[in-house]
C-alpha cells in the first residue's frame, strides 16, 4: 500500500486499472488490486461470511434506529459498526449452517439514560398493540427531569420479514401508547423492543426486548 499526496488528476477512489484508490485514516492511499483466490473457502470462512451476511441483512432494516440508539456508545466507531460488533457476538444462535437471529439478545440501543420501566403489551383487534408502563422517573429522579424522555418501539414480523417502527411515540410520564401495525400482520407472531431517548435526542437508555406476541 502506498501513500500519495496528488495523483495525475488528484486523489481518487475505487478501481483504476490494476490499482485501487482509497482513504485510510484521512490519508489518500493506493494499493494493488486484490487477487481472487482459487482455494475454496474453509468451513470457518463460510460460517463467518454467512453470519455476517445474516446480521448485516437484519440490522440494515433498522439502521435508522441504530443510529439513534448507538450514537454515543463507543468512541471511534460508527453507530452501525458498534451495534454490529455487539450483536454479532451475542445475537446469533444455532449451529452452522442453521443459524438465525436470537431476538431477545438483539440490541437496538445502549446508553446511560434512566432504564426503561417494565412495559406490558396487549394485543387488541384491528392489529393494535397497547403498551403500558409505570413512570419510574418519579422514584429515580425527584426533580422528575426524566418524565419527558420519549419512548420508541420497534416491532419485527419474521413471517413478513418486515419492521414497524415508532420513534418518539410518547413521553415517559404518559404511561401508555397504542400502536397500529399493518392489518396484513393479523395472526402473525411478532417480536418487540423499546427504549427511551432524552428530549434533546442526545442520550438514550438501553433497549429492552418486551416479548413475542401474536397480532390479532
Amino acid at each position: 500500500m502506498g501513500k500519495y499526496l496528488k495523483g495525475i488528476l488528484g486523489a481518487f477512489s475505487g478501481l483504476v486499472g490494476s490499482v485501487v484508490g482509497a482513504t485510510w485514516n484521512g490519508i489518500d492511499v493506493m494499493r494493488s488490486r486484490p487477487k481472487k483466490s482459487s482455494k475454496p473457502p474453509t468451513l470457518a470462512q463460510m460460517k463467518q461470511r454467512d453470519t455476517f451476511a445474516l446480521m448485516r441483512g437484519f440490522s440494515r432494516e433498522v439502521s435508522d434506529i441504530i443510529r439513534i440508539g448507538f450514537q454515543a456508545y463507543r468512541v471511534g466507531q460508527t453507530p452501525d459498526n458498534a451495534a454490529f460488533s455487539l450483536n454479532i457476538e451475542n445475537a446469533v444462535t444455532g449451529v452452522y449452517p442453521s443459524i438465525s437471529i436470537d431476538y431477545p439478545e438483539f440490541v437496538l440501543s445502549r446508553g446511560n439514560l434512566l432504564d426503561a420501566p417494565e412495559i406490558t403489551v396487549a394485543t387488541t383487534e384491528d392489529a393494535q398493540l397497547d403498551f403500558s408502563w409505570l413512570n419510574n422517573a418519579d422514584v429515580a429522579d425527584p426533580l422528575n427531569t426524566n418524565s419527558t424522555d420519549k419512548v420508541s418501539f420497534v416491532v419485527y414480523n419474521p413471517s413478513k420479514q418486515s419492521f414497524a417502527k415508532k420513534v418518539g411515540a410518547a413521553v415517559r410520564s404518559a404511561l401508555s401508547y397504542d400502536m397500529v401495525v399493518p392489518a396484513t400482520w393479523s395472526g402473525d407472531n411478532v417480536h418487540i423492543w423499546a427504549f427511551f431517548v432524552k428530549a434533546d435526542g442526545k442520550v438514550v437508555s438501553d433497549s429492552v426486548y418486551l416479548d413475542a406476541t401474536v397480532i390479532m
Side-chain angles (χ1 to χ4, degrees):
M1 179 172 66
K3 178 176 68 175
Y4 65 98
L5 300 178
K6 289 185 179 180
I8 297 175
L9 299 176
F12 70 95
S13 175
L15 178 65
V16 177
S18 61
V19 296
V20 178
T23 300
W24 179 74
N25 283 347
I27 302 171
D28 295 320
V29 297
M30 290 186 300
R31 59 177 180 266
S32 60
R33 182 179 183 178
K35 296 180 180 180
K36 293 184 178 179
S37 174
S38 60
K39 296 181 180 179
T42 65
L43 181 62
Q45 289 172 329
M46 291 190 294
K47 179 180 179 181
Q48 183 185 57
R49 179 193 63 194
D50 291 356
T51 300
F52 276 39
L54 172 69
M55 185 57 67
R56 287 289 185 202
F58 184 76
S59 59
R60 185 184 301 119
E61 301 301 319
V62 284
S63 59
D64 55 334
I65 302 295
I66 284 171
R67 285 166 193 154
I68 298 171
F70 277 81
Q71 59 183 290
Y73 174 64
R74 186 169 292 164
V75 177
Q77 275 191 308
T78 66
D80 290 298
N81 287 341
F84 183 83
S85 297
L86 184 64
N87 285 313
I88 202 72
E89 181 178 353
N90 300 313
V92 177
T93 188
V95 178
Y96 184 79
S98 299
I99 56 175
S100 60
I101 300 295
D102 188 354
Y103 302 114
E105 296 298 322
F106 188 79
V107 177
L108 285 164
S109 175
R110 274 291 171 89
N112 298 319
L113 190 63
L114 179 65
D115 287 340
E118 183 177 348
I119 302 175
T120 60
V121 56
T123 58
T124 60
E125 294 182 357
D126 300 323
Q128 180 171 295
L129 295 169
D130 296 343
F131 298 99
S132 60
W133 60 90
L134 297 176
N135 183 9
N136 59 336
D138 288 335
V139 176
D141 185 5
L143 298 179
N144 211 25
T145 58
N146 285 106
S147 288
T148 57
D149 299 340
K150 294 183 177 180
V151 64
S152 295
F153 296 106
V154 175
V155 184
Y156 179 64
N157 185 331
S159 66
K160 298 293 192 297
Q161 296 186 3
S162 181
F163 285 90
K165 298 171 280 188
K166 186 62 179 180
V167 177
V171 294
R172 194 185 293 259
S173 59
L175 307 184
S176 66
Y177 181 78
D178 299 334
M179 180 178 176
V180 176
V181 297
T184 54
W185 288 14
S186 180
D188 291 347
N189 193 61
V190 299
H191 300 271
I192 307 169
W193 296 262
F195 65 97
F196 282 82
V197 183
K198 200 71 175 173
D200 62 7
K202 297 180 179 179
V203 186
V204 301
S205 73
D206 290 350
S207 62
V208 293
Y209 175 81
L210 301 186
D211 211 344
T213 191
V214 177
I215 301 298
M216 297 179 64

